[in-house]
Amino acid sequence: LVTVPRQGLAAGDRLHVDEIDLRVLWPIRGEVPGEPPDGGTSINNVSIVLLGAVAGRRMLLMGDVEQDIDPALLRDHLPRVDFLKVAHHGSKTATTEPFVETVRPAVAVASAGTGNPYGHPAKATLDRLAAAGAQVFRTDRDGTVVAEFERDRMNVHAEGGRAVAGSSIIEPARAALAIAKAASDPAVAFRCAIPV
């Protein structure tokens, strides 16, 4: 039996996926434990944070990190971004005011399940993003959120939103069809969907 050493991604690492350039901002190697001491905040705070660039646009993908990580990210001189995948499902313990004021996303998406027991996304977090000028989407109400990054613009829209009461079901086939259509459309530089 051969044991292969496990090496995770850490701040400073870079990835290239097709036209997308991704830079890892968090976790910082050596400052974050390999095994979190608990299954709550500690496990959230070892989540990966990526700053991406595609078609002249910037995206920040925040994983599940909570408010204690924002100061470390801000020390890295975060730029303004076009698209933000909101941290920790838009919880009240993430996406602080200084963070939002720095990145000022044009569009912010909070990915959360309908009727989740945690109350995600938090109204205060959504209000903070909207007050900074972001167009805010939430998958629990809006359904799958699709972002198209093209050379001269970014288009973000929701497909198959739920009723506020949460009684309707989104058809996953709609999102798959949209992604397949984008793959066959040469005008689209990159398309990303955040499904329910």
Side-chain angles (χ1 to χ4, degrees), residues 26-46:
W26 186 264
I28 297 173
R29 189 170 278 119
E31 291 185 25
V32 175
E35 296 293 326
D38 65 54
T41 298
S42 294
I43 199 163
N44 290 341
N45 285 342
V46 299

Side-chain angles (χ1 to χ4, degrees), residues 77-143:
H77 306 291
L78 289 175
R80 286 189 169 191
V81 298
D82 299 290
F83 183 90
L84 172 69
K85 198 297 281 175
V86 179
H88 195 227
H89 315 286
S91 77
K92 64 182 179 182
T93 62
T95 316
T96 61
E97 183 78 31
F99 175 85
V100 172
E101 285 299 316
T102 298
V103 301
R104 291 195 162 278
V107 174
V109 179
S111 176
T114 300
N116 68 81
Y118 307 103
H120 299 334
K123 182 181 183 320
T125 301
L126 299 176
D127 290 349
R128 193 163 34 249
L129 289 160
Q135 180 182 7
V136 180
F137 291 90
R138 45 186 294 181
T139 61
D140 62 326
R141 291 194 184 162
D142 299 324

Side-chain angles (χ1 to χ4, degrees), residues 119-190:
H120 299 334
K123 182 181 183 320
T125 301
L126 299 176
D127 290 349
R128 193 163 34 249
L129 289 160
Q135 180 182 7
V136 180
F137 291 90
R138 45 186 294 181
T139 61
D140 62 326
R141 291 194 184 162
D142 299 324
T144 297
V145 178
V146 178
E148 299 170 327
F149 299 88
E150 300 178 25
R151 300 247 176 263
D152 58 347
R153 68 186 179 95
M154 175 179 72
N155 179 36
V156 181
H157 63 277
E159 296 180 346
R162 298 177 185 265
V164 174
S167 60
S168 63
I169 297 174
I170 294 174
E171 297 176 41
R174 286 182 68 189
L177 180 62
I179 292 167
K181 179 183 174 287
S184 66
D185 185 353
V188 176
F190 178 73

